[in-house]
Amino acid sequence: NFAFVSFLGFTMLQFVFALTARSDAMLADCAAMTVDAITYLFNYAAERMKHKLEYSTDDDDEDDEEDYEETVGHNNPQTNRLDKRELQRLLLELIPPSVSASTLVVVTIMTMKQPIHTI
């Protein structure tokens, strides 16, 4: 949470200076940093979900394996809820970094377009 707030705060401050200086490079960096800040937020949410999932399944440690074996293949609401949480956590851990990397590549290409045409 601290990483998100500090990164976002610094990005907003840099955005003000980028507009003042009319710097395309600083604006591109602000776009990249905003993506990073959002990625930190999603990672924070994924970690919270992960810990919530761990604490909700740690109640009966010795019976977990037996309970799981009994519910495999059955339509147990508790197991389905845990599976949905696990899927959400995995999506939060995989998709934001992928989107972040893709967006950074696009921002870099867009930023480099004008200098390349100038050369």
Side-chain angles (χ1 to χ4, degrees):
N1 195 13
F2 177 75
F4 167 71
V5 172
S6 62
F7 230 70
L8 189 62
F10 183 78
T11 302
M12 290 169 43
L13 186 65
Q14 181 178 343
F15 183 71
V16 170
F17 285 103
L19 289 177
T20 303
R22 294 183 183 156
S23 171
D24 290 338
M26 285 179 68
L27 286 173
D29 190 45
C30 287
M33 289 177 63
T34 301
V35 171
D36 289 341
I38 292 169
T39 302
Y40 285 137
L41 181 65
F42 279 114
N43 288 340
Y44 175 71
E47 286 298 316
R48 285 187 53 94
M49 288 181 75
K50 180 175 146 183
H51 290 297
K52 190 181 285 189
L53 182 64
E54 287 174 358
Y55 289 129
S56 68
T57 59
D58 283 347
D59 294 340
D60 300 319
D61 282 340
E62 63 264 356
D63 294 332
D64 279 349
E65 203 168 303
E66 292 173 11
D67 290 344
Y68 180 75
E69 290 173 3
E70 290 175 8
T71 58
V72 171
H74 299 288
N75 203 3
N76 185 333
Q78 183 178 7
T79 303
N80 290 339
R81 184 180 53 205
L82 292 177
D83 289 343
K84 287 179 185 177
R85 274 190 182 165
E86 181 67 14
L87 179 62
Q88 286 176 339
R89 183 187 64 81
L90 287 173
L91 288 175
L92 283 173
E93 286 183 354
L94 296 174
I95 292 176
S98 301
V99 170
S100 175
S102 302
T103 304
L104 293 176
V105 168
V106 169
V107 166
T108 302
I109 290 170
M110 290 176 64
T111 304
M112 295 300 292
K113 244 179 159 178
Q114 184 181 3
I116 288 173
H117 286 287
T118 304
I119 295 175

